[in-house]
Amino acid sequence: MAGSMGQLEQGLGIDARTIPLLAALPVLAFGISAPCGPWLARRLGAGRAVALAMLMLAVALTARVLLPALMLPGTFLAGMAIMTASVLLPQIVKANRGTGWWTGLCSMGFGLGAALGAGLIQPLQHIVGGSLQGALAMWAIPAVLGAVLILRHGGRRTGPVDPGSSVHASRAVIPDSSTADAKARPHAARALRQQTTAWAVTAFFGLQAMLYFAVTSWLTVFLVSKGITAGDAAALLAWFSVAGLPASLLAPVLASRPAVLKIMAPGLGVLVAAALLGVLAGPAELQFLLVGVLGVVQSAGFGLAIALVVLRSTGPQTAGKLSAMSQGLGFALASLGPVGAALLHDVTGGWDAAFWALAGVATLLALAGYFAVNGRIVSVEEGTVSAGQARPAGVGS
């Protein structure tokens, strides 16, 4: 972390006092801009809204490196664009009756993108003659390409534009598992804040994100304190991300099976707690294995969090709003992770208290997972909800 911050300070001429603000801006943007996705989707359709967000991201990435005065606002705008598109992915998957594989590809894409962003910045810098500004600006190219592909192949509307058509749209996307139910009953729309399952899904998303940000912020520092060199500690942090990529893909696939989901959602929190304590207690020689296990279970938690938004919502509009709520509030909660871990380390002078506290958070994650899959399915759309949807196990879609 210190090396990357120093690279920014030297390569972009950023004042050292500005760097903490620069690091905090994306998380702040995530929380503020989460409602923008559903708002844009109602007016443009989800596909076009994502394309617009990608174009806004390209503009922000280019402007912030070409015009130094726009570094902070450009970073904030880039965070808003990323969150706007991220919030809409569950809505698009739900509208197109996507399987667990599609949800898994979406969740794995986040981790893969982060890994590529960190791993390719130096080769790109070499290609553009050593300019860090040019290397950062080149990430606008895939953003534009993504927008073009979405407009060309996925720009159709995935939800109604006017509120009057929402009833018909919600009925059109009732999960396949409900077709086996012979009886259906009217269901009145309720606000998300009035639905316990919506809060449970939000808590699950926020707690797993809190754990992830806490670990990625301080893992290298902790490993160095165990006698591992700084270079090896950085390599282990990269291994943490790489080891988790398959898990972020497979977790939503496994979660699409109701019997597995009932065990997986609460069980994953227990596994994260055990993995954290294993890293704390394990010797330096075993950290490659232990950090890899931690990366697997934590990445599986993110994949499951995205899957819960899709599986525990009745239709695309509900998925979009639940995604905005869970990611917006969830990332706000997640920002406390790195700060809390650092505070406990400073107060106690060691890492034991911080890791035990994170294990406690993982226990809360298990409780949130239990309530997320055992509560009533979330719906903000008036329409018909079948008995299969109302049952806690009726999550297959």
Side-chain angles (χ1 to χ4, degrees):
M1 180 183 294
S4 61
M5 292 303 182
Q7 187 181 23
L8 283 174
E9 184 178 355
Q10 297 174 8
L12 298 178
I14 299 174
D15 188 277
R17 293 169 295 182
T18 307
I19 290 178
L21 177 60
L22 186 66
L25 275 178
V27 178
L28 178 62
F30 288 168
I32 292 176
S33 61
C36 294
W39 182 83
L40 281 174
R42 287 195 300 270
R43 286 152 180 80
L44 303 176
R48 294 172 184 171
V50 171
L52 178 62
M54 291 295 95
L55 291 175
M56 184 172 71
L57 175 61
V59 171
L61 291 175
T62 304
R64 70 175 187 163
V65 295
L66 297 183
L67 300 174
L70 296 180
M71 174 57 70
L72 293 180
T75 299
F76 185 81
L77 183 62
M80 289 186 63
I82 292 171
M83 175 52 66
T84 299
S86 172
V87 160
L88 291 176
L89 288 178
Q91 179 171 342
I92 293 174
V93 172
K94 190 74 176 180
N96 290 278
R97 296 172 180 259
T99 64
W101 287 106
W102 285 108
T103 307
L105 287 171
C106 290
S107 61
M108 187 180 70
F110 286 100
L112 184 60
L116 289 176
L120 294 180
I121 190 64
Q122 289 187 343
L124 288 175
Q125 187 176 357
H126 178 74
I127 291 174
V128 296
S131 170
L132 180 59
Q133 293 94 329
L136 292 173
M138 286 186 69
W139 288 113
I141 297 175
V144 173
L145 291 176
V148 172
L149 289 173
I150 291 170
L151 288 174
R152 186 168 182 177
H153 300 290
R156 64 181 181 85
R157 297 187 186 277
T158 57
V161 178
D162 60 293
S165 61
S166 62
V167 173
H168 303 289
S170 65
R171 289 174 178 168
V173 292
I174 290 176
D176 294 337
S177 61
S178 67
T179 58
D181 297 303
K183 296 181 179 180
R185 58 180 179 79
H187 177 80
R190 288 194 299 156
L192 283 178
R193 65 179 179 274
Q194 298 175 344
Q195 302 184 52
T196 304
T197 303
W199 284 107
V201 172
T202 299
F204 189 92
F205 190 99
L207 292 171
Q208 63 82 26
M210 177 192 289
L211 291 166
Y212 178 84
F213 284 124
V215 169
T216 54
S217 295
W218 298 109
L219 181 61
T220 54
V221 180
F222 165 75
L223 292 173
V224 169
S225 73
K226 291 184 77 73
I228 298 175
T229 66
D232 288 343
L236 284 173
L237 179 60
W239 165 237
F240 169 88
S241 299
V242 173
L245 288 178
S248 61
L249 171 65
L250 294 176
V253 178
L254 296 174
S256 64
R257 301 175 180 271
V260 175
L261 180 61
K262 298 275 283 187
I263 300 173
M264 183 181 183
L268 200 56
V270 176
L271 292 177
V272 172
L276 284 166
L277 296 179
V279 169
L280 173 65
E285 295 77 12
L286 292 180
Q287 288 301 322
F288 180 82
L289 173 62
L290 296 171
V291 168
V293 171
L294 181 60
V296 168
V297 293
Q298 288 218 232
S299 294
F302 177 71
L304 180 57
I306 298 295
L308 286 174
V309 174
V310 177
L311 296 172
R312 302 303 285 142
S313 56
T314 54
Q317 291 180 62
T318 299
K321 291 182 178 180
L322 181 57
S323 180
M325 176 179 175
S326 61
Q327 294 196 51
L329 296 179
F331 278 118
L333 178 64
S335 64
L336 300 177
V339 177
L343 181 62
L344 285 173
H345 174 265
D346 292 342
V347 170
T348 62
W351 288 105
D352 288 13
F355 270 80
W356 277 101
L358 293 176
V361 173
T363 303
L364 295 177
L365 179 68
L367 290 175
Y370 173 83
F371 288 112
V373 299
N374 285 279
R376 298 179 65 84
I377 195 166
V378 181
S379 178
V380 296
E381 301 149 320
E382 292 183 359
T384 301
V385 177
S386 69
Q389 287 178 290
R391 290 194 302 268
V395 292
S397 59

